[in-house]
Amino acid sequence: MSSEFCKLVLDLDPGIRFAGIVETNGTIVAAEYRKDIVPLLDRSTLEISILQSVIRFATREILESELGKALYSITTYEKVKRATIPIHGDEQRLLLVSFDTTARPGPIIRKKIMPLIEERLS
């Protein structure tokens, strides 16, 4: 799993701004921005944001026995939409993706990103 996989994610849809793979301890494994993007967060703020995403996603595990595994979560901000997607089969890593505000992350995740994860990482 590398920057190459993040580039493949970016190539799936023009509305994808960022793709990053992180470990559940918050360590960034790989990260790539779309070429025309000026990041909204500096590196240290990005690291804090990633750790917050990891913690929030971990809290969802409490309900897995009743609801099943979480497939992804999406948060919409004024300037960006962000998704956290577990890489099933590798319980230690998450895929974090940010989208332009005009993008429709649900269909992009279900129809493009999840099949790519299944094909390349499972």
Side-chain angles (χ1 to χ4, degrees), residues 24-93:
T24 53
N25 65 7
T27 302
I28 301 169
V29 175
E32 293 289 333
Y33 286 93
R34 192 174 68 207
K35 289 183 177 157
D36 64 333
I37 291 298
V38 175
L40 297 172
L41 305 175
D42 62 37
R43 180 69 180 198
S44 63
T45 308
L46 174 65
E47 290 172 358
I48 291 168
S49 174
I50 285 171
L51 191 53
Q52 289 173 334
S53 293
V54 167
I55 291 167
R56 279 192 302 269
F57 209 83
T59 63
R60 293 178 177 88
E61 292 177 350
I62 296 167
L63 300 175
E64 282 187 356
S65 62
E66 289 85 14
L67 302 177
K69 288 187 178 265
L71 300 178
Y72 58 88
S73 65
I74 300 170
T75 303
T76 302
Y77 296 92
E78 290 178 343
K79 296 180 181 179
V80 69
K81 295 177 182 180
R82 296 179 61 198
T84 304
I85 307 162
I87 300 173
H88 294 298
D90 186 347
E91 302 300 323
Q92 301 301 309
R93 295 195 174 169

